[in-house]
């Protein structure tokens, strides 16, 4: 079957064809200025569609601005509902990095809760305070509780600070 990519207001839909119902996957990008248009993410979406999934990669403006907000769960929920209606069944959500939190919230609230059957979290954060500490100072704890300090990634540190300047006090 021929692979088709349809660009829409909610996001980009990847599917082998439109005949028959295929299982749906919502592939949610992490915080990245390229968002749904990142070449590696697009390659993953194509590969998943080639295996028989109908894949929707949503547009999430906050993640393009390197901001993560609980309100992004509403955007993800609407995308899940749209895909769920198209595929007529529970969908899977593959959330990457900072999108994991909002994706989990989307599965717990309307309209996403009625459509999301499973979540695969890739590279999500376990402890947001530890993530922020590491991004800004380079400090981290190992499993024994010892502190290790490395030079923080300059891009990551300043991207985080700029994206969250309005909330930092």
């Amino acid at each position: 079957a021929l692979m088709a990519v349809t660009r829409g207001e909610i996001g980009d839909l990847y599917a082998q064809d439109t005949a028959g119902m295929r299982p749906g996957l919502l592939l949610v990008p992490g915080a990245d200025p390229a968002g749904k248009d990142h070449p590696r993410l697009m390659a993953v979406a194509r590969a998943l569609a080639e295996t028989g999934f109908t894949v929707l990669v949503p547009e999430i403006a906050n993640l393009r601005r390197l901001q993560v907000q609980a309100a992004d769960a509403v955007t993800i929920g609407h995308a899940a509902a749209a895909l769920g209606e198209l595929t007529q069944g529970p969908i899977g959500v593959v959330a990457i990095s900072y999108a994991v939190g909002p994706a989990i919230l989307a599965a717990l609230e309307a309209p996403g809760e009625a459509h999301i059957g499973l979540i695969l979290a890739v590279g999500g954060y376990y402890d947001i305070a530890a993530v922020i500490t590491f991004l800004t100072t380079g400090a981290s704890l190992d499993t024994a509780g010892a502190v290790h300090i490395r030079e923080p990634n300059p891009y990551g540190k300043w991207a985080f600070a700029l994206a969250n300047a309005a909330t930092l006090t």
Side-chain angles (χ1 to χ4, degrees), residues 98 125-134 160:
Y98 281 105
Y125 44 89
Y126 169 74
D127 181 343
I128 195 63
V131 170
I132 292 169
T133 299
F134 179 74
F160 173 82

Side-chain angles (χ1 to χ4, degrees), residues 125-150:
Y125 44 89
Y126 169 74
D127 181 343
I128 195 63
V131 170
I132 292 169
T133 299
F134 179 74
L135 280 175
T136 57
T137 68
S140 64
L141 297 176
D142 65 19
T143 56
V147 175
H148 297 274
I149 298 179
R150 294 186 288 186

